[in-house]
Amino acid sequence: MEERIFDEAFFKGLNRVKHVSRAAMQGGRSGMRRSKAKGSSVEFADFREYVAGDDIRRIDWNTYGRTDKLFVKLFIEERETYYSILTDASTSMKYGIPKKSILAARLAGALTYMALDNLDRVRLLSLYGDKVKISSDYTGRQGFKKALSWLENVEFGANTDLNCSIRRIPFHNKGVTVLVSDFFSKDTTDKNVENILEAIRYLRYMKQEVILLHVLSPQEISPELEGTMGLIDSETEEMLRITATSRLCRQYKEVLDRFCIKIEQAAKKYQAHYIRMCSDETIEQFIYSGIKKGLLES
Amino acid sequence: MGITRWWPIALAVFIPGIVLLYLLKQKVREQKISSLNLWKEAYENIQANTPWEKFRNNLLMYMQIAALIIIIIALMSPYLTGRDSGYGDIIIMIDNSGSMSGIYSEGVTKLDEAKKQASDYINSGIDARFSVVSSNGYAGLEISGETDKKQVIDAVNNISETHREGAFDSGVSMVQSLVSGMKDYKVLAFTDESVNVQELNCEVIDLSVAGENGALHSVSHSIGEDGTVKVLAYIANYGKSKLITDVNLYLGDKLYDIQTVEADSGKDAVVYFKDIPAGRYRGLLNSDKPYLMAEINSDDMLMADNSAYDILAGTNDQKILLVTEKNSFLENALTLGNTQTVLDKVKAEDADDLDVSKEGYDLVVYDGEVPDQLPQKSNIIFINPKLSKNTKGWQKDIFLYKDNKNNVLVKTKSSKVTEYIEDYSFSCIKAKEFELPSWAYSFFETSSKNTTGYCGYYGGRKIAVIGFDLHNTDFPLQTEFPIFMFNLLKQTMTTEILERNVYNAGEQVIVNRVENTKETVVTDTTEKKEQYAFEQDTIVYDNTNYSGLYSVKEGKNIMYFSVEFPASESNISEKAVVTADKKDIQVSKHINDKVSTRTYIIPILLILTGLLMVEWRVYRKKL
């Protein structure tokens, strides 16, 4: 890659935050996440009367002294969360100055770091065309290095159908699925939003907490076009001849805003998180937005 | 609307250049973007909102083309409106004399062209008060100081064609009185003849057109000793080239003969139709159409002068009765120059025994006598009638006797009776003075301005009165006397419907009442009949604007008269020469209005400047 994805600025502040997952983990391995399972953790959950077969080591003798009844202490068992971080590897992600793909990789890297730091398990996936490239599961700090290496080697440059690609991903347990994309496709805006909605619904069905990270470039947010131009779609190579007037640019911004709002509303409908990022923004700004939206906590 | 110069229109070749420049400029710059979908939607939204978005894309190009067109128009110096707008009053003077009936272009007479040019001018957006004057020897004020253009154009269009003779002088006189006191006026004079516009601020539009014109000025006949008739037609060639044409002779409305005649340019020719049988002539004379008509048998620039009529009149013997003691002057004078006059003489004492009515005298001359009873039909001349101051009976209406004067100077007064002897006077030893009756006109008056000779139409007959004895003057010894008597007989002998049968266009026709008819019907050249009731013994018919054959009918009597096209109006080869008292007058074929055209370049350039400013603003906005 021309630009270093994971530079010094990237690592600054990563230690300050961790992901607040609403997903109460079930199954999986022990970790730092509170699970619904009551187990051998140090975190107290509740009391219940002793029944035969209970571990007598968990009887609370202090309570017995006050009530003359045997009570057993219940503790919340902490288990790891399984993160699936999906990166849209379509051609459109290569667009922009700086490229959206760079921010996408950094966001994926940052979330990987937060997850691994919290003793969770992470897998990285790139949606390339109708294929899905899936990394191995990463855990621990060693896993983070491997993950960064994997992210640096993600190849962008295909026409990706998000909905179709996501349905090819195997989900075995509850977990958190992060989708980093510009959400552009060859379909019309309404059809595109419908596909995104379908994808979120599918992920929710697969018991995933969904986080949508919408990455746009500055040129997409505030296009600076002039005169008569031929705009070429990076994915379909289709050309649209326009005369760029200030009125047309204003109209474009209105359409873009409506598109983003529709995605956000779709996310809200299925209790998914939605954060919009510009490719010239830093990880700190992402963290700030995440904290603001209750996705991250310091 | 008009254009001063046409060459700037060649600059229009640059318009394709502008379009080409825009086409080249619009070479598409390609740019890759992540996705087209949002742009497509935005573009469709704009196009849905503004269907002319495509036009707007090239707005600058259209504005530049418009600017170029405006520059071209400005260079062409159009004079669209406001010609002569600096004038508060515009007087349109249109010649409608006979020559204006000539052809200007195919199917259009000079008068039509004058009306068209005048109407176009009025309609061209001029803000002024308009007056319209027609001139055909007589000036007519058609409308004055009018600002309603529709009314002005109606007034112009109502000017009708006439065959009258007349220069513009009468019109110029009227316009001069019209513009007195006006400071900012302009006169537009439409004519084909020479005119002196004196000191008027005048622009003359010359409508003269050179071409071929032959005119048949007159036709007349003579009866030979053997009774055969010879007809003579007088033809003039006013055209540029030699005239060779057939001339038709009609007896009544029937074609009798055709002769070929040749006349060089500017020359005259006479064509004869000889040996018309006496019987044929008598038959024509007794028919209901007793006239000859000669006609040039080819079309030319002026058709109205191509025919002429000769109305045939009877040549019956005329009987005169002279009642006198002795008057050799009268005896000689009454037979003067007319071999067909039969003169009977009778003395006063024998006159009462004579039944004058029965004898059928056309004229009875009472010299020094007054009969007890008037003859029933005959015309009468009373010379020095014996009268008392208290007249009675019929005498009351004829003699309004005042006094008897001695040693008076008798002067002629301008009238038909004193034609050619105007301003003549003679001494008279004794003369009677009369009050002029309402039915008569005076031809002699004394030095005290009292009437002593009068003539008129009374009771279905002509009556003339002379208030002195011819022996008491030296008048009969003078050369003026036979002229006077000839005129007097001419006026008193005639009792026909018309006194003449040839008139000039526009001339008044006196129609006499014969046999106490109550009305008369005049039929004009277009067979249109007009009926007139007799309130007096004569009526005046003045609708003689067109040359041709007219007829007058009273009871069973019918009489024809012809109106001649004036020879001076036939000369179409003459160009309009305009003279003025103090300054040169420009003569043109169309209204000249170049002076005010420059004024309108400024508004055009202002529009151009505004357009360029808008263009600059649009350009800046695009940036």
Side-chain angles (χ1 to χ4, degrees):
Chain A
M1 284 192 180
E2 297 163 0
E3 189 180 351
R4 277 189 67 199
I5 298 174
F6 303 110
D7 54 10
E8 198 176 333
F10 167 75
F11 292 103
K12 277 173 78 177
L14 281 183
N15 286 321
R16 298 176 202 162
V17 291
K18 65 176 178 184
H19 174 221
V20 181
S21 175
R22 288 191 302 254
M25 298 298 110
Q26 280 187 341
R29 302 171 191 177
S30 297
M32 290 291 284
R33 300 286 174 191
R34 286 157 36 124
S35 72
K36 280 187 181 177
K38 309 294 183 288
S40 56
S41 161
V42 292
E43 195 169 345
F44 171 75
D46 204 353
F47 292 100
R48 97 172 142 74
E49 281 192 60
Y50 175 80
V51 292
D54 284 341
D55 187 353
I56 56 167
R57 288 177 297 176
R58 293 189 180 179
I59 293 173
D60 186 350
W61 299 109
N62 290 333
T63 309
Y64 175 75
R66 286 196 297 273
T67 61
D68 286 336
K69 283 183 179 177
L70 289 173
F71 285 92
V72 177
K73 269 187 177 177
L74 297 177
F75 296 91
I76 292 171
E77 187 176 45
E78 290 182 342
R79 291 188 181 173
E80 66 183 5
T81 302
Y82 193 58
Y83 279 84
S84 300
I85 300 174
L86 283 61
T87 306
D88 177 5
S90 63
T91 313
S92 63
M93 290 293 284
K94 290 199 292 184
Y95 181 78
I97 303 170
K99 292 177 180 174
K100 290 183 282 185
S101 57
I102 294 174
L103 182 65
R106 284 177 179 165
L107 289 173
L111 286 167
T112 303
Y113 177 82
M114 288 176 213
L116 295 180
D117 188 51
N118 207 32
L119 301 179
D120 290 327
R121 184 176 296 270
V122 176
R123 64 171 173 170
L124 298 172
L125 303 96
S126 78
L127 310 177
Y128 187 86
D130 55 354
K131 296 175 186 171
V132 180
K133 294 180 181 174
I134 306 173
S135 69
S136 53
D137 292 353
Y138 301 115
T139 53
R141 294 197 180 268
Q142 287 303 317
F144 180 58
K145 284 185 181 175
K146 289 178 186 172
L148 291 186
S149 174
W150 193 91
L151 284 171
E152 280 179 335
N153 292 314
V154 169
E155 186 185 355
F156 292 85
N159 296 336
T160 304
D161 182 342
L162 286 177
N163 190 20
C164 188
S165 303
I166 287 170
R167 284 170 189 275
R168 294 175 184 273
I169 302 170
F171 291 98
H172 304 295
N173 293 312
K174 275 186 171 181
V176 177
T177 297
V178 180
L179 175 57
V180 187
S181 173
D182 57 6
F183 296 112
F184 289 142
S185 79
K186 61 184 177 183
D187 296 317
T188 59
T189 310
D190 289 340
K191 174 76 176 160
N192 193 16
V193 171
E194 185 64 30
N195 285 338
I196 294 164
L197 196 68
E198 281 293 316
I200 298 170
R201 191 186 297 141
Y202 173 76
L203 290 171
R204 292 296 293 161
Y205 176 76
M206 297 305 290
K207 298 175 182 171
Q208 298 296 305
E209 182 186 343
V210 180
I211 299 168
L212 303 179
L213 298 181
H214 192 178
V215 180
L216 294 169
S217 70
Q219 294 74 33
E220 285 165 346
I221 293 168
S222 296
E224 290 179 354
L225 304 179
E226 182 195 326
T228 304
M229 304 187 72
L231 300 181
I232 299 170
D233 191 303
S234 58
E235 293 186 14
T236 63
E237 297 292 327
E238 183 189 354
M239 189 172 87
L240 174 68
R241 187 177 163 138
I242 63 159
T243 300
T245 60
S246 56
R247 181 151 183 252
L248 181 64
C249 291
R250 277 201 308 275
Q251 184 66 31
Y252 166 81
K253 284 180 185 174
E254 286 175 18
V255 172
L256 177 67
D257 285 343
R258 279 202 298 275
F259 175 60
C260 295
I261 288 167
K262 281 180 181 175
I263 297 172
E264 190 171 9
Q265 285 173 344
K268 197 176 278 181
K269 187 176 179 182
Y270 290 100
Q271 295 176 317
H273 296 282
Y274 172 85
I275 294 176
R276 181 162 48 158
M277 297 290 295
C278 181
S279 64
D280 62 353
E281 288 181 315
T282 60
I283 290 300
E284 278 93 345
Q285 284 169 305
F286 162 67
I287 291 167
Y288 174 75
S289 298
I291 292 169
K292 197 175 169 186
K293 294 210 170 188
L295 180 67
L296 304 173
E297 64 181 16
S298 53
Chain B
M1 177 182 173
I3 299 294
T4 308
R5 44 186 171 265
W6 288 97
W7 65 261
I9 211 163
L11 296 176
V13 297
F14 291 111
I15 291 175
I18 293 173
V19 176
L20 200 64
L21 282 173
Y22 267 85
L23 287 176
L24 291 173
K25 187 192 166 192
Q26 285 190 337
K27 191 175 180 182
V28 177
R29 186 159 46 90
E30 294 181 352
Q31 182 167 336
K32 271 201 172 181
I33 58 167
S34 50
S35 174
L36 273 184
N37 283 338
L38 299 180
W39 283 106
K40 276 182 185 171
E41 192 174 330
Y43 199 62
E44 282 166 10
N45 285 348
I46 279 189
Q47 286 199 317
N49 291 334
T50 54
W52 52 84
E53 186 66 21
K54 272 191 174 177
F55 166 78
R56 219 189 99 165
N57 291 343
N58 291 320
L59 186 61
L60 280 176
M61 181 187 79
Y62 292 123
M63 291 178 83
Q64 284 178 4
I65 290 172
L68 179 61
I69 289 169
I70 289 173
I71 290 169
I72 291 170
I73 291 169
L75 289 173
M76 288 167 84
S77 293
Y79 40 97
L80 301 170
T81 58
R83 297 181 306 186
D84 291 326
S85 55
Y87 298 107
D89 282 270
I90 292 172
I91 295 100
I92 293 170
M93 189 160 52
I94 295 179
D95 179 0
N96 63 335
S97 63
S99 58
M100 291 291 281
S101 310
I103 292 170
Y104 183 81
S105 59
E106 192 174 345
V108 177
T109 66
K110 295 173 187 176
L111 184 62
D112 292 338
E113 176 65 16
K115 288 178 182 179
K116 181 179 176 297
Q117 283 197 32
S119 298
D120 289 348
Y121 183 78
I122 295 161
N123 264 335
S124 63
I126 295 165
D127 190 19
R129 290 182 296 277
F130 288 92
S131 300
V132 178
V133 173
S134 63
S135 181
N136 52 34
Y138 300 94
L141 181 60
E142 308 292 336
I143 201 163
S144 175
E146 182 59 57
T147 53
D148 183 347
K149 291 181 180 173
K150 188 177 178 303
Q151 286 194 38
V152 180
I153 289 172
D154 285 347
V156 168
N157 289 332
N158 284 337
I159 295 174
S160 56
E161 178 186 320
T162 74
H163 294 163
R164 291 184 177 209
E165 177 180 22
F168 237 15
D169 298 342
S170 54
V172 170
S173 300
M174 173 174 275
V175 172
Q176 273 192 319
S177 60
L178 206 62
V179 301
S180 60
M182 289 183 189
K183 286 181 181 172
D184 54 343
Y185 73 91
K186 183 174 183 181
V187 180
L188 296 171
F190 297 86
T191 185
D192 62 343
E193 295 175 2
S194 298
V195 57
N196 181 356
V197 297
Q198 299 181 14
E199 292 183 358
L200 291 175
N201 176 26
C202 186
E203 184 181 329
V204 176
I205 293 87
D206 174 18
L207 297 170
S208 62
V209 179
E212 304 304 324
N213 184 39
L216 203 154
H217 283 320
S218 70
V219 57
S220 59
H221 73 283
S222 61
I223 302 169
E225 290 179 358
D226 57 352
T228 58
V229 176
K230 184 165 76 174
V231 175
L232 175 150
Y234 175 73
I235 289 155
N237 179 12
Y238 296 101
K240 284 174 153 185
S241 53
K242 188 176 182 180
L243 173 69
I244 303 172
T245 183
D246 289 341
V247 177
N248 305 340
L249 176 69
Y250 292 85
L251 304 183
D253 56 358
K254 289 177 182 164
L255 180 64
Y256 175 75
D257 195 7
I258 300 173
Q259 297 273 352
T260 302
V261 67
E262 296 184 6
D264 290 330
S265 175
K267 301 289 184 186
D268 306 332
V270 175
V271 59
Y272 295 98
F273 299 89
K274 296 176 183 172
D275 299 331
I276 299 170
R280 190 80 186 263
Y281 177 75
R282 280 197 299 276
L284 180 66
L285 200 59
N286 295 321
S287 73
D288 59 347
K289 289 175 180 170
Y291 55 83
L292 302 166
M293 195 263 272
E295 179 187 56
I296 291 176
N297 195 15
S298 58
D299 292 348
D300 55 24
M301 299 286 284
L302 184 57
M303 295 295 290
D305 63 356
N306 283 7
S307 60
Y309 291 85
D310 180 17
I311 310 296
L312 308 180
T315 53
N316 297 331
D317 292 344
Q318 293 179 320
K319 289 179 74 178
I320 301 175
L321 174 66
L322 174 60
V323 182
T324 182
E325 289 299 322
K326 185 173 178 68
N327 194 332
S328 56
F329 294 131
L330 278 176
E331 287 176 29
N332 290 327
L334 291 173
T335 53
L336 187 73
N338 195 342
T339 55
Q340 290 171 306
T341 301
V342 177
L343 178 66
D344 293 336
K345 290 178 286 183
V346 65
K347 290 193 174 181
E349 58 266 27
D350 301 328
D352 293 337
D353 302 332
L354 185 69
D355 188 348
V356 175
S357 304
K358 196 175 179 183
E359 291 295 327
Y361 287 105
D362 296 301
L363 174 67
V364 180
V365 182
Y366 291 100
D367 180 24
E369 298 293 335
V370 175
D372 295 333
Q373 296 228 327
L374 282 177
Q376 283 185 351
K377 286 185 180 176
S378 305
N379 302 313
I380 303 170
I381 298 174
F382 292 103
I383 299 174
N384 193 27
K386 283 181 184 170
L387 297 171
S388 62
K389 286 223 170 182
N390 297 318
T391 51
K392 291 178 183 175
W394 60 268
Q395 293 182 13
K396 278 187 190 173
D397 298 327
I398 295 175
F399 305 115
L400 304 178
Y401 177 50
K402 289 168 74 176
D403 204 359
N404 215 352
K405 286 278 177 70
N406 295 327
N407 296 323
V408 292
L409 184 70
V410 176
K411 289 180 182 175
T412 58
K413 195 174 177 189
S414 179
S415 68
K416 291 173 187 170
V417 177
T418 53
E419 199 173 3
Y420 309 117
I421 54 169
E422 291 94 350
D423 300 326
Y424 176 72
S425 62
F426 52 88
S427 298
C428 183
I429 297 170
K430 193 184 282 181
K432 291 184 177 68
E433 291 181 340
F434 300 95
E435 193 177 319
L436 186 65
S438 61
W439 48 266
Y441 58 88
S442 171
F443 57 83
F444 281 151
E445 64 180 18
T446 61
S447 47
S448 56
K449 301 281 182 189
N450 286 315
T451 299
T452 190
Y454 54 90
C455 181
Y457 197 83
Y458 176 75
R461 75 181 90 201
K462 295 276 181 70
I463 294 177
V465 176
I466 297 173
F468 51 85
D469 185 352
L470 291 174
H471 296 97
N472 288 337
T473 71
D474 62 348
F475 185 37
L477 304 176
Q478 305 300 321
T479 52
E480 284 80 4
F481 182 68
I483 300 171
F484 167 74
M485 286 307 294
F486 179 83
N487 289 339
L488 184 63
L489 288 175
K490 187 179 166 189
Q491 293 301 318
T492 51
M493 290 282 280
T494 312
T495 53
E496 293 192 59
I497 297 172
L498 303 172
E499 293 170 4
R500 288 186 282 144
N501 49 29
V502 179
Y503 294 85
N504 293 320
E507 194 177 353
Q508 289 185 341
V509 176
I510 307 295
V511 180
N512 295 322
R513 174 156 64 178
V514 293
E515 297 178 359
N516 288 322
T517 49
K518 290 182 179 175
E519 60 187 23
T520 185
V521 177
V522 182
T523 307
D524 67 11
T525 56
T526 60
E527 301 293 322
K528 186 182 160 193
K529 295 180 190 298
E530 285 185 71
Q531 189 170 318
Y532 299 89
F534 279 110
E535 292 178 359
Q536 294 182 334
D537 290 328
T538 58
I539 59 144
V540 176
Y541 177 77
D542 59 0
N543 196 7
T544 55
N545 286 330
Y546 300 95
S547 61
L549 186 69
Y550 292 69
S551 67
V552 185
K553 189 177 180 187
E554 286 184 25
K556 291 179 181 175
N557 298 313
I558 186 165
M559 188 167 177
Y560 288 88
F561 69 94
S562 70
V563 171
E564 291 186 336
F565 191 91
S568 61
E569 295 291 321
S570 293
N571 190 2
I572 62 162
S573 59
E574 180 192 3
K575 279 202 97 177
V577 178
V578 179
T579 51
D581 287 355
K582 285 187 177 174
K583 54 192 170 186
D584 293 332
I585 296 293
Q586 192 174 358
V587 182
S588 57
K589 283 287 178 188
H590 292 91
I591 299 169
N592 180 12
D593 51 3
K594 285 181 183 172
V595 178
S596 61
T597 56
R598 292 188 193 98
T599 314
Y600 292 90
I601 293 176
I602 293 169
I604 293 171
L605 291 178
L606 282 174
I607 293 169
L608 176 65
T609 310
L611 195 64
L612 291 175
M613 285 171 71
V614 171
E615 189 175 339
W616 173 250
R617 186 161 173 73
V618 169
Y619 180 71
R620 293 289 303 170
K621 202 174 174 185
K622 274 200 146 188
L623 282 179

